[in-house]
Amino acid sequence: MKYLHTMVRISDVDASLAFYRDKLGLEEVRRIDNEQGRFTLIFLAPPGQPDAQIELTHNWDPEAYGEGRNFGHLAYEVDDIYALCASLQAKGVTINRPPRDGRMAFIRSPDNISIELLQKGGAKEPAEPWKSMANVGKW
């Protein structure tokens, strides 16, 4: 078996691309517009990792998807969890579970998909402002 991708349904293509591409740094790998099925599939991956894809599925007819928490979460290994969290926060992303332990943080997409960020290698030394920060909302 080979991992192919994880699919999440999205309600707003522009908001989702602004999050996954512009803020999180994923790159669009391919896109499929299916007029007969009335949907668009957008595949994104981290730079240099085309095999680690997420498929954003946009159904053209409006549909409420609910919380998304039952999905679980996406997880990405990151080079510097503190720097990424600071960058995301500066771009308006809420850090729902700050990296207090220097190892793990959670954020949410515009469609409330929970995303886990894990420090590459061992945990970083706990540091402010993260180690004193409380959780915000659900993660």
Side-chain angles (χ1 to χ4, degrees), residues 13-14 17 21 28-34 39-44 56:
V13 171
D14 292 335
L17 286 176
R21 184 190 60 206
E28 188 169 326
V29 176
R30 64 188 162 117
R31 182 184 294 229
I32 299 167
D33 290 311
N34 186 311
F39 63 84
T40 297
L41 306 179
I42 304 167
F43 294 86
L44 302 143
L56 304 181

Side-chain angles (χ1 to χ4, degrees), residues 14-26 87-88 91:
D14 292 335
S16 293
L17 286 176
F19 178 80
Y20 290 102
R21 184 190 60 206
D22 302 341
K23 294 177 183 172
L24 200 53
L26 302 182
S87 172
L88 290 168
K91 294 174 183 172

Side-chain angles (χ1 to χ4, degrees), residues 57-120:
T57 297
H58 178 252
N59 294 313
W60 299 355
D61 300 316
E63 184 178 339
Y65 296 121
E67 180 79 11
R69 183 74 169 149
N70 61 342
F71 164 81
H73 65 266
L74 303 173
Y76 291 98
E77 180 181 73
V78 301
D79 289 329
D80 185 334
I81 197 161
Y82 294 148
L84 179 59
C85 286
S87 172
L88 290 168
Q89 196 172 46
K91 294 174 183 172
V93 176
T94 298
I95 309 300
N96 300 96
R97 194 279 191 193
R100 288 185 295 274
D101 56 4
R103 183 185 166 295
M104 177 180 66
F106 276 88
I107 58 176
R108 284 185 165 244
S109 77
D111 291 293
N112 285 320
I113 299 299
S114 193
I115 299 173
E116 180 181 26
L117 306 172
L118 293 167
Q119 175 62 42
K120 184 177 182 177

Side-chain angles (χ1 to χ4, degrees), residues 2-7 30 43-44 51-55:
K2 177 183 173 186
Y3 170 81
L4 295 177
H5 63 264
T6 299
M7 183 276 271
R30 64 188 162 117
F43 294 86
L44 302 143
D51 290 337
Q53 294 182 15
I54 181 171
E55 172 194 321

Side-chain angles (χ1 to χ4, degrees), residues 1 10 29 36 54 71 84 111 121 124-125 131 138:
M1 271 199 218
I10 60 170
V29 176
Q36 184 177 357
I54 181 171
F71 164 81
L84 179 59
D111 291 293
K124 294 176 89 63
E125 188 68 30
K131 72 178 186 177
K138 298 177 187 175

